[in-house]
Amino acid sequence: MCGIFLYLVKNGDQQTDDSKLNVDSIHELLSNRGPDSRHELKLNICDWSAHFVGHVLHTQGQSICRQPLTNENGHILLWNGDVFNDSYVTEDECDTTEVFKNMNRDGVLHTVSELTGPFAFIYYNSDEQSVWFGRDVIGRHSLLWSVTADSILITSVAGVKRDFKFTEVPSKGIFKLNLETQSLDFHPWSHSEDFCPQSSENVPIIKKTSVRHFLIDSFANKDTNPQDVEAYTVSTNKNDEFYARLLANSEVLPRVEKFIDILSKSIKVRTEKQPKVCKLCINTRKEFWPRCNHSKLGILFSGGLDSTVLALLADKFVPPEDPIDLFNVAFQNPTKSTVNFSVPDRETGLSSLKELQSLCPKRTWNFVKIDVPFTELMITRVNHISDLIHPLDTVLDDSLGCAVWFAARGSGVLLRDNEFYTSPARVVLLGMGVDELLGGYTRHRTEWRRSQSWEQLGDTLATDVARIGHRNLGRDNRVVCDHGRQPRTPYLDERLVAYVLSLHPSKRCYLSDTLPVGVGDKLLLRLVAWKLGLRNCATLPKRAMQFGSRIANSKEKGSQVCDRL
C-alpha cells in the first residue's frame, strides 16, 4: 500500500507553489498510508514543474520497493496496488517493478487490462511527455484530483483545502494528460463506454477508445435462464430443512461449491501475500525467517454473515500458530446517561465468535472490543477523520467513515483477558461488495416488490456494482490506510465478481416475501455459510454497520450533507 502524489504547476516554481498549497499537511496524511519509506522527485516537463512523491507501506517482497520508480529513459511510476494474477511475481518480489517493466514495454492500457487486484497509479511517459493515471476496473483504491487554471494535483488523500477543490478520480477508465497540448484523453473501461467525465474550462477531456478488462467487460446480467423458483418453495419454516433441500439440488450445489472455491482462492492470496512478520517486528528482523507469531491479519468483524464467512475461510490459510484479530467496534449512545457498549454488532460478534471457536478450536481468535466514547468520536471526527472522508460529505459518509476508521485502528480491549491491545496486523480483510453482488440491501427487496421483474432487479444490482468505487470504496480505502494497514476486499476479487455477474439474479438471491429477511437476501452466501458449518450467522438479517455499531442516528437521512464534517 502506498500514498502517491503528483503536483504539476504551469510555468511555476515548485518550491513556491508547494508552500502555497501547504503540501506538508497532505504528506502527513500520505505518510500514515506509507510509513516505511518516503521518496520524491522534482523535474521540469515542457512548461510544467512536476513534483512526484511516494510513501510506501511494506507489504510485498523481501525489501521495500522505494517509489517513485524511474528508468534510464526517464519514465516514472507511482504505484499503489496489489497484483493478484497467478505467477505475476515470485513470493520474494514486489509487483511494482514488474508493472513498471510491463508499462514501459507494452503500454499502460494493455498492462492494466490484464491485471487482477486493486490499484491506483500515476505513470509519466517521457517519450510522449504525458502523464497516465487511473484506478482499477472496480475502483477499490483511492485517487483524488484537483484541476485549476495553472495546476493539476493528483493524490491518494488530500484533506480539506480551501484553495483547491478535490474530487475522486472516476474509476470508469484510464486518463492520459498530454502536457504539451494540455488536453486530457479518457479511455473508459468497456463496461462504462457511455461515460465521459465532464470537461472543465481548464483542461478539456477527449473521449478515446475503450479498455476491455480480460475478466470484467460488463456489469450487466448475461444469464437469461432464471433459477426454477420451485426450489425456493418450502413447506417448512425450519431453516435447516430449507438449506438442506437447496444444497441437495443438482443445480444449486455446484454454484455454492464454485463460489466457495473462488472465494477461498481470493482469501488465500490476500492473506498470504505479505511479509512473514508483523508491523512491530518488521523493522527489527532483517530476515523473514524465522517468522514472528504475532497477528498479521485483522478482520472488520461485526459477527454478521459477510465477516464471519471471511474469518472461517481465512483460518485455512493463516499459519496455525498465528492469532487472527477480529475488530469489533461499538459507539457510546450520547442519549443515555450510562456508558454502555452492548450494541447489536457486539452481541452478534460474540455469538459468531462462539461458532468460529467451535469450528476452529485450535485457532487463537483475538476478539478486540473497540469501544468509542462519544467525546472521542466528536474530537477525532473534526480534527482528523473529516480530512480522510473528504471530498465525500454526506451523513452516510460520516457514519461509515468514522465507524471503519475506529474499527481499523484495531485498538481496544481483548475479550479473553480485558487487557488493552493494539493489533500489529498489516493486512485487514473487509466484507465490502457482497451486498451489491448478491442483493443484500433493503432497496433490492423494495425493487423486487415494486417490479416483480428479474430483469429490473438485475439492472439494479449491476448499477450498484458499477458505482461502488465512487460510493464507498475510495472513502473506505482512505480511512483504513490511515492506520498503516492494507485493506483487502475478497468479495471484490475480479474472478468472483465475474462469476457472480454471470449468474441470473434468481441464482444469487430470492427476495419474495415467501422467504423472510435473513433467508432470501444474499441467498447464495447463506448457502455457502450453511455448507461451511455456520448455522447461526447463516440466518442473521442484514444490518448496516452504522446501525449495528450505534454510530448513526436513524432519524437522519443518509444522503444529506453532514454538518459535522
Side-chain angles (χ1 to χ4, degrees), residues 5-22:
F5 173 97
L6 170 61
Y7 186 33
L8 292 162
V9 182
K10 183 72 172 176
N11 296 317
D13 175 73
Q14 192 68 61
Q15 186 171 9
T16 301
D17 287 294
D18 277 5
S19 176
K20 175 184 176 183
L21 177 63
N22 187 20

Side-chain angles (χ1 to χ4, degrees), residues 1-6 33-34 52-60 65-70 76-85 88-89 94-103 107-124 132-137 140-143 156 174 189 213 273 486 488 494:
M1 174 58 63
C2 303
I4 60 178
F5 173 97
L6 170 61
R33 296 174 61 93
F52 297 82
V53 186
H55 298 256
V56 178
L57 172 70
H58 186 188
T59 58
Q60 297 178 27
C65 181
R66 193 176 68 169
Q67 295 195 44
L69 289 183
T70 60
I76 301 169
L77 176 65
L78 289 166
W79 175 258
N80 172 27
D82 282 319
V83 178
F84 293 136
N85 298 59
Y88 196 77
V89 293
C94 177
D95 60 40
T96 306
T97 54
E98 188 69 16
V99 170
F100 189 38
K101 181 179 72 176
N102 291 342
M103 284 185 174
V108 171
L109 297 181
H110 177 79
T111 298
V112 299
S113 71
E114 296 291 321
L115 297 180
T116 63
F119 63 78
F121 75 94
I122 303 168
Y123 171 80
Y124 170 63
W132 295 79
F133 59 97
R135 300 164 67 190
D136 66 79
V137 69
R140 288 159 290 188
H141 279 185
S142 171
L143 197 63
S156 300
I174 305 300
W189 293 110
H213 189 269
K273 190 165 186 175
Q486 171 79 304
R488 290 176 175 169
E494 284 88 347

Side-chain angles (χ1 to χ4, degrees), residues 476-497:
D476 293 342
N477 180 264
R478 291 191 292 277
V479 296
V480 174
C481 292
D482 188 60
H483 301 294
R485 305 192 198 277
Q486 171 79 304
R488 290 176 175 169
T489 50
Y491 291 116
L492 291 174
D493 179 272
E494 284 88 347
R495 292 179 178 85
L496 188 63
V497 171

Side-chain angles (χ1 to χ4, degrees), residues 108-109 121 123 125 128-135 145 147 152 154 169-170 172-189 195-200 202-211:
V108 171
L109 297 181
F121 75 94
Y123 171 80
N125 186 307
E128 302 173 342
Q129 294 192 321
S130 61
V131 174
W132 295 79
F133 59 97
R135 300 164 67 190
W145 62 345
V147 179
I152 298 174
I154 307 169
V169 173
K172 303 289 188 179
I174 305 300
F175 294 85
K176 176 186 176 183
L177 174 64
N178 304 288
L179 294 175
E180 283 190 306
T181 62
Q182 299 183 50
S183 63
L184 193 62
D185 295 343
F186 174 67
H187 296 268
W189 293 110
F195 175 84
C196 185
Q198 184 176 0
S199 294
S200 71
N202 300 315
V203 179
I205 297 178
I206 304 169
K207 190 174 181 180
K208 296 288 187 176
T209 55
S210 63
V211 189

Side-chain angles (χ1 to χ4, degrees), residues 385-399:
I385 301 176
S386 59
D387 277 331
L388 304 170
I389 294 173
H390 184 78
L392 303 188
D393 60 2
T394 67
V395 168
L396 185 64
D397 293 318
D398 167 53
S399 57

Side-chain angles (χ1 to χ4, degrees), residues 368-381:
V368 188
K369 298 187 294 182
I370 302 168
D371 298 336
V372 183
F374 182 68
T375 53
E376 183 181 6
L377 167 63
M378 295 293 288
I379 293 171
T380 310
R381 169 196 281 135

